Amino acid sequence: MSEKIVQTAGREQLGEFAPDFAHFNDDVLFGENWNNQDIDVKTRSITTVVALMAQGITDSSLKYHIMNAKNHGVTQKEMAAVITHVAFYAGWPKAWAVFNLAKEVYNEPVTENTDKDRYQNTIFFPIGNPNDAYAQYFDGQSYLAPVSTEQIPIYNVTFEPGCRNHWHIHHSKSGGGQMLICVGGRGFYQEEGKEARELHPGDVVNIPANVKHWHGAAADSWFSHLAIEIEGEETSNEWCESVAEEDYEKLINIVRENPFR
């Protein structure tokens, strides 16, 4: 049996003003309910964070419960996956607000021995391991970290400066395509026949099925995005040629000449 949870905040803050509420808070909610062994405390902590996030509560009470979840074994990676998953049901703005609180709670910077370490300390999601399985389809070094492998697969893809993937197409008979959610650094996205789009944290890219495109980092910046595959019928990926070096150089020059575009 886990250590008994004892709460005194109700009596300390409201004991004289609202003694009944203090009793219910300390003795019933946290005393009886949180010490119930039907589900473990880690699961109870996650459930509480989800419930508060769904209601749009992003004050000190949610920060307390995120800290409580951390103290009961919820890792940063698990918390990131929980918030990302709930975002699809509770709303994207709520997720951003909760991530800001979670970053404060999980403020455990990586020792900065390399450029990768320094960049990792600027983003919430893990960079992960070298993306060796798809290395042949990238020019430069990329990394891959699974955020969620259940229900909706979500991966954090990170590009070193100058790294970009080849032109490719997400084929689908119906539905399909991909969504990118930018979470760090600066990068680009381009569809065939269109101008490239500069990407920053918070930007969302909706990639239709059967559209040839590429995405990657700016020459002077790391770049990370969450990659979400959209369900479809008879889906497949087709990898094509590399992004021409001269085209990428032209893109870099345009940004240099128009930094505030």
Side-chain angles (χ1 to χ4, degrees):
M1 182 175 178
S2 60
E3 182 180 352
K4 183 178 180 180
I5 295 172
V6 177
Q7 178 63 273
T8 60
R11 287 188 173 85
E12 290 172 357
Q13 299 179 39
L14 296 170
E16 295 183 6
F17 187 85
D20 287 343
F21 182 90
H23 160 66
F24 294 137
N25 183 82
D26 295 353
D27 301 332
V28 180
L29 172 57
F30 285 96
E32 297 180 17
N33 181 62
W34 274 85
N35 286 295
N36 182 288
Q37 297 297 305
D38 291 342
I39 57 175
D40 60 81
V41 180
K42 180 179 179 180
T43 302
R44 198 177 294 276
S45 299
I46 293 174
T47 303
T48 304
V49 170
V50 170
L52 294 176
M53 175 179 168
Q55 295 178 72
I57 297 174
T58 55
D59 59 13
S60 59
S61 62
L62 178 56
K63 187 174 181 179
Y64 165 84
H65 282 289
I66 294 175
M67 177 63 75
N68 193 44
K70 177 183 177 182
N71 292 339
H72 286 100
V74 180
T75 66
Q76 176 180 324
K77 184 177 179 181
E78 289 173 328
M79 183 58 70
V82 168
I83 298 170
T84 301
H85 177 75
V86 178
F88 285 93
Y89 297 92
W92 221 248
K94 292 177 182 177
W96 274 107
V98 176
F99 271 128
N100 287 332
L101 294 177
K103 285 178 68 176
E104 294 179 17
V105 172
Y106 288 88
N107 186 23
E108 301 173 349
V110 176
T111 302
E112 296 185 348
N113 295 318
T114 65
D115 288 341
K116 179 184 175 185
D117 295 337
R118 284 185 280 275
Y119 177 66
Q120 177 66 85
N121 285 335
T122 69
I123 64 174
F124 185 81
F125 294 96
I127 290 177
N129 298 316
N131 189 13
D132 294 337
Y134 291 88
Q136 61 183 314
Y137 305 122
F138 285 73
D139 292 318
Q141 181 63 59
S142 66
Y143 302 86
L144 190 67
V147 175
S148 173
T149 56
E150 299 179 7
Q151 294 183 306
I152 302 175
I154 302 173
Y155 292 85
N156 184 34
V157 184
T158 295
F159 305 76
E160 288 190 356
C163 176
R164 63 270 189 190
N165 53 31
H166 294 184
W167 289 95
H168 57 287
I169 305 169
H170 303 288
H171 290 290
S172 182
K173 183 178 180 180
S174 63
Q178 189 181 54
M179 177 187 295
L180 308 179
I181 302 170
C182 307
V183 297
R186 184 167 60 89
F188 299 105
Y189 167 77
Q190 185 176 22
E191 295 181 3
E192 187 176 40
K194 297 183 179 181
E195 291 187 4
R197 172 184 170 187
E198 192 170 353
L199 301 175
H200 303 89
D203 289 341
V204 176
V205 181
N206 297 102
I207 306 173
N210 308 311
V211 171
K212 190 175 181 180
H213 64 282
W214 69 271
H215 35 102
D220 59 352
S221 175
W222 288 69
F223 176 60
S224 298
H225 64 61
L226 302 183
I228 304 167
E229 299 295 325
I230 309 303
E231 289 189 1
E233 182 181 358
E234 297 181 15
T235 60
S236 64
N237 289 338
E238 177 187 357
W239 290 99
C240 307
E241 72 278 9
S242 299
V243 177
E245 190 66 34
E246 56 269 26
D247 291 338
Y248 186 72
E249 287 292 334
K250 289 178 183 177
L251 180 60
I252 295 172
N253 291 332
I254 291 173
V255 174
R256 286 173 181 164
E257 295 170 3
N258 302 278
F260 302 108
R261 69 191 184 120

